[in-house]
Amino acid sequence: MLHFKTIIEPFRIKSVEAVKFTHREDRVAALAEAGYNVFQLRAEDVLIDLLTDSGTGAMSASQWGALLQGDESYAGSRSFFRFRDVVQELTGFRHVIPTHQGRAAERILFQTVLKPGDVVPNNNHFDTTRANVEVEDAEARDLVIPEGRVPSAIHPFKGNVDLAALERTLATDGKRVPLVMVTVTNNTGGGQPVSLENLRGVRALCDRYRKPFFLDACRFAENAYFVKKREAGQSGRTPREIAREMFSLADGCTMSAKKDGLANIGGFLALNDDDWAERCRNLLILTEGFPTYGGLAGYDLEAVARGLEEVLEEPYLRYRIRSTEYLHERLVAAGVPCLQPAGGHAVYIDARELLPHVPPLQYPGIALVNALYVEAGIRGVEIGTVMFGRQPDGSEEPGAMDLVRLAIPRRVYTQSHVDYVAEAVIGVAGMKDRLCGYRIVRAPAVLRHFTATFEPIPA
Ligand code: F0G
């Protein structure tokens, strides 16, 4: 009997989309036109788009088929009940409130429950989560374990919450904490998982201080697979069993179905508290839509319902986690400084370490992102000083890290695409001394990374 080491893509391809090859000089011009901000490029000028794993996945034939089953009734549509049943079966939460994507769920939850001066603890808030807390004049407090702040530190559950720090926050500022959040996997900290043991610890503290506990569950399936592979006593369980235990420890969740919902749009807020649910639904009607569609078409609800089931299939998760790890392995073997260990949905390059001659306030992450685009047509994203360096008072400080994230869309690229990416990153790292820093020309006050324009600072 043969024993195979190769982990193949667990699908075959039924429909393809051509990618456009461009010349280096076209990319130099396109980037200048975009104000040196890759968010402002036209996607068709990108060869391999690793900007995000959000909404960029390929749906299965079964999901496309489900679109035709969509019931577009305004109220009480069959597709809603199918969606609700799948979410309830997975999460166990009593109330399921569909939203058009994750940040709408965050906004509705935070606008409903936060007051000015409140504090929301989390391992790390993602950018939109932080912004939705801060817009309510509340504080988004990051309490990841110390290893989670050091790119080179190796830890199996680097997304874990520092339970002692959470306890201090609850003991000191408890009156101002309306809920505790934990992000699985921890995107801002490098796509790193949170262990079941740590989630149980958060639950115990929330019980002691009588606080509701919410998961930011965008990548719950990837987290469940890491638990299966890395946590003692979990290897014999299915990802679904582990995911259900994760949700059973919480009182609610916000979810972007654009990640582990395997859909191109969609999300939800799910929770147990009747009073909060009623107030959230009222806000939903005002801004998203009636509670049985919440800003989505019936066919979107169908696609998400199937996606939430497919995402927990083990061959899929094995391939998903392994293909990200494969890219990470190749970069590390070539000496490219990467956040350790590989994340679930992305590889994070440590741009501050790679480009020590570019100070944080000249944005080493932007320097690397822009070089990857010019040299290879690859689009990554800076997760660093541009994304997180602007302080609420308008001043600027270096972000905790300067990373470049290469996020892998689900079921979209093959191994040869990934091999090309590895070759490109290694090639660009080889020309690091020639990369220069940038200064901001124009930037809005919040979420500036999306629309800021830059200019290169000649060396
Ligand atoms: N929470 C986390 C951990 C996320 O990564 C995201 C989105 C959201 C919430 C918001 O969800 O986009 O559906 O509104 N992350 C994407 C990314 C955009 O590129 O990492 P959304």
Side-chain angles (χ1 to χ4, degrees):
M1 184 151 134
L2 293 175
H3 290 282
F4 290 97
K5 284 220 244 10
T6 311
I7 294 176
I8 61 168
E9 287 85 357
F11 47 79
R12 51 187 185 171
I13 294 165
K14 182 180 290 237
S15 178
V16 298
E17 184 182 12
V19 290
K20 185 171 114 186
F21 293 88
T22 52
H23 296 290
R24 189 178 186 282
E25 60 269 24
D26 302 329
R27 298 192 293 268
V28 168
L31 189 62
E33 174 90 355
Y36 299 96
N37 182 344
V38 294
F39 277 105
Q40 302 297 321
L41 289 169
R42 282 172 180 257
E44 65 176 4
D45 293 334
V46 175
L47 179 64
I48 297 195
D49 203 346
L50 308 182
L51 184 74
T52 178
D53 64 320
S54 181
T56 52
M59 291 208 296
S60 65
S62 161
Q63 284 176 294
W64 283 110
L67 296 195
L68 278 179
Q69 307 292 325
D71 173 355
E72 304 304 337
S73 304
Y74 190 93
S77 100
R78 184 179 62 233
S79 302
F80 169 73
F81 292 107
R82 191 167 295 157
F83 168 85
R84 186 201 63 181
D85 290 349
V86 168
V87 174
Q88 275 180 341
E89 202 275 327
L90 172 66
T91 66
F93 298 132
R94 195 152 49 233
H95 302 283
V96 178
I97 300 174
T99 60
H100 79 275
Q101 62 182 79
R103 70 198 66 183
E106 293 162 10
R107 202 249 323 147
I108 286 170
L109 175 67
F110 294 147
Q111 202 173 323
T112 301
V113 309
L114 295 188
K115 301 189 301 300
D118 279 351
V119 177
V120 181
N122 201 327
N123 42 357
N124 284 113
H125 291 81
F126 185 64
D127 61 353
T128 61
T129 327
R130 169 172 296 280
N132 273 303
V133 170
E134 290 175 353
V135 80
E136 303 300 328
D137 291 317
E139 178 192 338
R141 191 174 290 181
D142 288 346
L143 300 176
V144 73
I145 54 171
E147 292 88 336
R149 298 176 198 271
V150 183
S152 59
I154 295 190
H155 187 289
F157 292 103
K158 216 172 163 174
N160 279 356
V161 176
D162 182 337
L163 295 175
L166 177 59
E167 173 143 35
R168 278 195 299 280
T169 285
L170 291 171
T172 316
D173 297 319
K175 285 207 177 68
R176 297 194 287 138
V177 176
L179 80 170
V180 173
M181 289 202 76
V182 177
T183 306
V184 291
T185 58
N186 187 21
N187 185 11
T188 302
Q192 302 293 319
V194 180
S195 69
L196 275 179
E197 186 190 17
N198 191 253
L199 293 175
R200 290 190 200 109
V202 173
R203 174 76 264 166
L205 284 172
C206 287
D207 284 343
R208 177 128 43 93
Y209 289 88
R210 295 172 183 276
K211 299 296 177 193
F213 167 23
F214 275 62
L215 288 174
D216 176 339
C218 299
R219 299 179 181 84
F220 73 94
E222 291 170 8
N223 199 85
Y225 192 73
F226 279 120
V227 166
K228 179 179 169 74
K229 297 310 273 186
R230 296 184 184 170
E231 191 159 347
Q234 299 298 326
S235 63
R237 301 175 77 194
T238 63
R240 170 176 297 275
E241 286 165 342
I242 296 169
R244 288 177 70 170
E245 181 173 352
M246 287 161 46
F247 286 112
S248 77
L249 293 165
D251 301 298
C253 71
T254 56
M255 174 73 190
S256 167
K258 301 173 73 172
K259 284 84 166 175
D260 277 350
L262 296 180
N264 301 121
I265 195 71
F268 57 86
L269 169 64
L271 70 172
N272 284 332
D273 187 274
D274 297 336
D275 173 51
W276 279 16
E278 187 181 332
R279 288 161 57 204
C280 287
R281 278 203 188 96
N282 290 336
L283 194 51
L284 184 87
I285 293 175
L286 191 66
T287 56
E288 286 275 296
F290 190 74
T292 60
Y293 73 87
L296 293 171
Y299 52 70
D300 296 321
L301 295 166
E302 295 280 349
V304 173
R306 302 224 175 181
L308 287 172
E309 300 194 323
E310 290 177 10
V311 78
L312 286 164
E313 287 169 7
E314 223 168 304
Y316 163 74
L317 282 170
R318 185 185 312 125
Y319 138 84
R320 170 75 178 154
I321 300 301
R322 176 60 196 146
S323 52
T324 307
E325 185 185 54
Y326 170 77
L327 174 59
H328 185 263
E329 263 171 28
R330 289 208 46 190
L331 300 187
V332 169
V336 178
C338 292
L339 188 144
Q340 293 285 355
H345 65 298
V347 170
Y348 296 66
I349 303 166
D350 188 344
R352 194 177 287 175
E353 168 91 20
L354 180 71
L355 306 174
H357 59 287
V358 180
L361 293 181
Q362 293 181 16
Y363 316 127
I366 297 295
L368 181 57
V369 164
N370 288 352
L372 279 171
Y373 176 67
V374 166
E375 302 304 331
I378 294 168
R379 176 158 68 169
V381 70
E382 190 250 24
I383 300 209
T385 300
V386 174
M387 193 179 275
F388 292 113
R390 189 183 185 279
Q391 307 302 305
D393 69 1
S395 64
E396 189 179 38
E397 293 195 22
M401 303 188 253
D402 276 298
L403 303 174
V404 168
R405 184 185 74 174
L406 304 177
I408 319 286
R410 293 168 180 77
R411 309 191 287 202
V412 168
Y413 294 117
T414 63
Q415 179 164 352
S416 61
H417 290 111
V418 174
D419 283 332
Y420 172 85
V421 172
E423 200 180 327
V425 174
I426 293 164
V428 168
M431 47 174 80
K432 62 185 179 182
D433 297 336
R434 280 184 271 150
L435 305 194
C436 66
Y438 284 81
R439 72 170 70 89
I440 287 180
V441 177
R442 216 163 24 81
V446 285
L447 295 173
R448 63 180 184 170
H449 50 287
F450 292 126
T451 54
T453 54
F454 299 86
E455 63 188 14
I457 304 173

